[in-house]
Amino acid sequence: LLDAPRDEFRLLPELAGNPLADRILDCLEPTAHAGGDEGIRLTSGEVDFQLFVRTLDVFCISNTKQKKLEMLFKVYDVDGDGALSESDIRITF
């Protein structure tokens, strides 16, 4: 696996000025993907590069609007309860 510190991912042009960069990286948590220990290693602060690419692939033109909306919803659903609450929105903005 190719791992890199979260700070390096924040330097990518697509994430550099994005106020949601941390939330996007948070959406790579292991529980969101098959494979168990893939994703952000919260204790080490490193990101699995392959999973990062697969996750952001959802925004490719070939994916459906539904898949893109599901990812965006996940970015805003901070507490992961499947609903956008006032606190989710406050934390995000």
Side-chain angles (χ1 to χ4, degrees):
L1 296 176
L2 300 170
D3 296 336
R6 278 178 76 120
D7 290 341
E8 288 185 26
F9 281 91
R10 286 190 201 102
L11 298 175
L12 293 170
E14 295 79 8
L15 294 177
N18 190 331
L20 296 176
D22 284 325
R23 280 297 307 139
I24 292 168
L25 293 173
D26 288 343
C27 288
L28 300 176
E29 290 178 2
T31 56
H33 302 278
D37 63 350
E38 293 184 85
I40 290 179
R41 294 189 177 99
L42 297 174
T43 55
S44 69
E46 291 185 345
V47 176
D48 177 295
F49 181 73
Q50 292 174 346
L51 181 59
F52 177 79
V53 170
R54 284 195 312 265
T55 301
L56 292 186
D57 180 63
V58 75
F59 295 108
C60 286
I61 196 164
S62 61
N63 275 315
T64 66
K65 286 183 182 181
Q66 182 66 32
K67 291 283 184 193
K68 294 173 186 177
L69 288 171
E70 288 170 4
M71 178 62 174
L72 286 174
F73 181 85
K74 189 175 174 184
V75 168
Y76 288 97
D77 183 19
V78 176
D79 58 14
D81 67 354
L84 294 181
S85 65
E86 184 177 334
S87 68
D88 289 329
I89 301 302
R90 285 183 188 199
I91 291 169
T92 306
F93 289 105

